[in-house]
Amino acid sequence: RMPEIDIFVLLVIRVGAMTCTILPQNPEPSMCCAPSEAILAERLQDYAARCATNERDLCELDPKAFAQQVISREVATDGGNWVQPIYRKVGLDWQLSKLEVLYRLNDARGVPFPAFVNFVKAATDETPNPDPELRGAFCAHAVTSLQRVDGWLSRLGSDKRAAMSSAGLLLAFNVTAKQLEPALFAPLMNHDLLSLEETEYDDEPANLQEMRLKAWQTFAALSIDDVKPTLAEVEAFTDEPLCYTPPLTPAGKPFKPLPCNYKHDFAFTERFIADFRSARELNPAARSDLKLDEEFCCYLIGVGHAPFSRAAMAAWRQKHPEASKAIRALGVTLIRKALGAGMGVCLEVSFNDADVQWLLDEVPELRGRIFKQGGMSGSVAVPHTALEDEILSPSSIAKAKLYGL
């Protein structure tokens, strides 16, 4: 078990005679006293500073060796199932809203690179001929992750689970389009606390729409992850041929070039939104978010993960004002489609309020429905079993009072 951590001081609510600390999914601004991004970021950064680093020899394993020695043997802390906060803007404050389950080994800040990235690529349609053995290992990991966290939820006790369900506090899991069906048939006990995020790594199977509709009936939510447009789709939002060259790094190398082909592009996302509309007709309680990936955020709001991203994108916008205008128009169109269907919108970068003010002015209905992932703590995540004492423990009440929450 990792060292004890001091995180997630949450809103105190009562369910029956039991007091616990959790955060409502859609609190009214006047009700909000949940922990702010600033408080959580400080604690997460402190935790990350005390974490062990990923072992170099494990980071350098080839995909098959990584699957055999790390994934199958569950070498990672908590089986690799760590959680990262997602915040929602409530009034003037960013407050904890969701927890996304991510893969980590020992280091809170990131995956064992490049081993995990190469494993995922070799196990999915990111490569022309994915290895069947690796595909099976990756799918098994996705299902096992759901079951592991589901088992942890069951051990919390019925009162705490009921409180989490009442508050809408969900744990979100990444699955590819081809892992969606196995996830649906996994034996689970706490579907109302589990949500799925459809990632872009696999091609869509023939029954994808059917599986999505079942997911919205079965799980608490299904969202679309890592959305971004292709170069041709951006060009469709201009009146003249697009003049485009990619942004540059400080070393003069291409930075985040728009792709010519991408699975979760504008057209694919429109179909996902249409499927969600159909799901809402069958199940009005169905929930979903549109998640815009880092590259899209670079062009849309000028912010990415790299420390030089702001300067690089500002220079690019100055050089390509028409292309920048077209990308923003595309982004606004897609966001309005998602909001019109009843979805939220999550930007997968850490940004300042000023970065998105133009977007809120352009799309006022986005207020209260905009999320950001990680926030000021960036990519930091914590083991899922470390959440019990801090999120659902009455001892957090004292901490909440200490911080005036």
Side-chain angles (χ1 to χ4, degrees):
R1 184 182 174 101
M2 301 297 289
E4 291 300 317
I5 56 177
D6 217 6
I7 60 168
F8 300 140
V9 181
L10 301 179
L11 171 66
V12 179
I13 70 169
R14 292 186 179 273
V15 177
M18 193 278 294
T19 302
C20 64
T21 53
I22 51 183
L23 174 65
Q25 178 66 24
N26 294 302
E28 293 298 323
S30 60
M31 296 169 55
C32 290
C33 52
S36 70
E37 175 189 6
I39 291 175
L40 297 188
E42 180 181 353
R43 296 178 181 185
L44 285 165
Q45 289 164 350
D46 177 68
Y47 173 73
R50 292 183 283 115
C51 269
T53 58
N54 293 326
E55 297 176 36
R56 191 66 249 165
D57 58 335
L58 297 182
C59 293
E60 295 174 351
L61 292 174
D62 64 57
K64 282 205 171 185
F66 187 79
Q68 294 166 357
Q69 298 180 36
V70 180
I71 297 293
S72 297
R73 295 180 185 177
E74 299 185 353
V75 170
T77 301
D78 277 11
N81 302 138
W82 295 41
V83 295
Q84 181 185 47
I86 294 178
Y87 301 96
R88 186 173 79 95
K89 186 68 180 293
V90 181
L92 300 177
D93 198 17
W94 288 94
Q95 299 180 345
L96 181 66
S97 176
K98 304 175 186 177
L99 296 163
E100 180 170 356
V101 179
L102 303 173
Y103 188 85
R104 295 288 186 270
L105 187 60
N106 299 311
D107 192 338
R109 294 190 181 276
V111 299
F113 182 84
F116 183 75
V117 173
N118 292 339
F119 163 70
V120 171
K121 184 175 181 179
T124 64
D125 293 325
E126 290 289 285
T127 194
N129 298 297
D131 185 297
E133 182 181 342
L134 294 180
R135 184 184 284 282
F138 189 34
C139 184
H141 169 72
V143 173
T144 300
S145 296
L146 275 164
Q147 293 175 310
R148 181 182 294 112
V149 176
D150 179 68
W152 170 77
L153 286 168
S154 292
R155 292 189 294 275
L156 288 179
S158 59
D159 286 346
K160 290 179 179 179
R161 289 196 305 275
M164 290 180 68
S165 180
S166 176
L169 182 64
L170 306 180
L171 292 117
F173 295 78
N174 292 328
V175 295
T176 73
K178 291 180 178 177
Q179 292 171 351
L180 190 53
E181 184 169 6
L184 279 166
F185 290 99
L188 302 169
M189 299 295 293
N190 302 287
H191 289 94
D192 60 324
L193 300 177
L194 305 173
S195 65
L196 303 179
E197 294 186 358
E198 186 183 313
T199 65
E200 76 280 12
Y201 302 117
D202 273 330
D203 296 334
E204 54 182 299
N207 66 344
L208 181 57
Q209 182 184 42
E210 177 188 355
M211 292 300 101
R212 284 173 176 169
L213 294 178
K214 286 185 178 180
W216 277 307
Q217 290 282 356
T218 304
F219 286 90
L222 170 66
S223 300
I224 182 167
D225 196 29
D226 288 336
V227 168
K228 64 183 172 188
T230 64
L231 186 57
E233 288 175 327
V234 172
E235 191 166 21
F237 279 78
T238 62
D239 296 327
E240 299 178 358
L242 187 67
C243 177
Y244 172 83
T245 57
L248 299 175
T249 69
K253 296 181 178 180
F255 175 68
K256 306 296 183 185
L258 288 171
C260 292
N261 297 288
Y262 184 66
K263 292 184 180 69
H264 282 194
D265 60 8
F266 186 94
F268 183 93
T269 305
E270 283 189 306
R271 295 197 299 274
F272 182 94
I273 294 172
D275 286 347
F276 181 62
R277 285 185 178 277
S278 298
R280 288 285 287 259
E281 293 176 3
L282 299 171
N283 175 21
R287 291 160 57 182
S288 185
D289 290 328
L290 170 71
K291 301 192 71 179
L292 308 184
D293 95 330
E294 183 211 355
E295 291 181 16
F296 196 3
C297 292
C298 280
Y299 289 96
L300 188 66
I301 64 169
V303 179
H305 298 323
F308 60 81
S309 63
R310 288 179 180 274
M313 296 313 301
W316 179 85
R317 283 197 306 272
Q318 187 174 14
K319 185 178 180 180
H320 297 282
E322 293 305 314
S324 177
K325 181 180 177 181
I327 293 177
R328 286 191 168 193
L330 182 151
V332 166
T333 298
L334 191 59
I335 287 170
R336 282 179 172 152
K337 286 177 180 287
L339 294 174
M343 299 172 68
V345 177
C346 179
L347 280 62
E348 298 185 276
V349 294
S350 178
F351 54 84
N352 301 324
D353 286 3
D355 298 320
V356 296
Q357 188 58 53
W358 73 268
L359 186 56
L360 294 171
D361 292 341
E362 185 76 15
V363 190
E365 59 269 35
L366 185 58
R367 297 180 188 277
R369 297 165 73 183
I370 185 172
F371 301 80
K372 64 177 168 181
Q373 187 160 332
M376 291 185 289
S377 55
S379 62
V380 174
V382 296
H384 75 274
T385 56
L387 298 176
E388 180 175 358
D389 294 338
E390 298 299 330
I391 287 188
L392 300 176
S393 170
S395 65
S396 293
I397 298 173
K399 299 174 188 174
K401 290 179 179 178
L402 176 65
Y403 283 87
L405 299 177

